[in-house]
Amino acid sequence: MSARSKARKRALDILFQADVRGEEPALVLAAEARRAASEPAREASWLYAREIVDGVIDHRPELDEAITTHSRDWRLERMPAVDRAVLRIAVWEMLHNDEIPTAVAIDEAVELAKEYSTDESGSFIHGVLARIGRDG
């Protein structure tokens, strides 16, 4: 598994944990940063995970608006917490990280959804992200 794939999993863990606990993602990120300091072997994945979470924090209203606009009759608060986190990560990569091709962001998000969410989540997330990708 690539360092960026591992980073996405770490970012997912942080965003999911914050959402489920009703905590600010920045607080969960700070706790994870303290733990990551003792794991130098995982530094490459940690740096990108932090970039993702910081990006989601900085752009959350824009990301949530894009998700809501393209999710076709699904309110953000009705989506499983894992799906919300996966979508926020992918939309941030699509809109704010020029190093990640849209197709890669979508594929990685679908794989995370298949591994950590419901049976239907992969196709739901693919559909939302494909619509966002088309609309730019």
Side-chain angles (χ1 to χ4, degrees), residues 8 32 44-45 49 61 105 131:
R8 287 180 188 95
E32 182 66 19
S45 69
R131 287 188 288 278

Side-chain angles (χ1 to χ4, degrees), residues 12 15 56 63-64 66-68 70-71 74-76 79-95 105-106 109-110 112-113 121-132:
L12 175 62
L15 294 171
V56 169
L63 304 176
D64 287 356
I67 294 165
T68 301
H70 294 88
S71 63
W74 272 91
R75 293 189 328 266
L76 201 59
M79 294 176 195
V82 172
D83 293 3
R84 282 193 299 268
V86 169
L87 284 165
R88 286 171 176 150
I89 290 166
V91 175
W92 175 79
E93 284 188 320
M94 292 167 67
L95 300 179
I106 292 171
V110 169
L112 283 172
S121 290
S123 59
F124 170 72
I125 285 173
H126 184 274
V128 173
L129 296 175
R131 287 188 288 278
I132 291 170

Side-chain angles (χ1 to χ4, degrees), residues 6-58:
K6 289 177 185 175
R8 287 180 188 95
K9 288 177 94 167
R10 289 181 89 166
L12 175 62
D13 289 343
I14 292 165
L15 294 171
F16 175 77
Q17 187 178 111
D19 194 5
V20 170
R21 291 182 176 176
E23 296 178 0
E24 289 298 318
L27 295 175
V28 179
L29 181 63
E32 182 66 19
R34 287 188 295 276
R35 191 171 77 183
S38 67
E39 301 174 333
R42 296 173 61 189
E43 183 177 4
S45 69
W46 164 246
L47 294 175
Y48 189 55
R50 180 179 205 122
E51 182 180 348
I52 291 168
V53 175
D54 282 338
V56 169
I57 291 168
D58 292 345

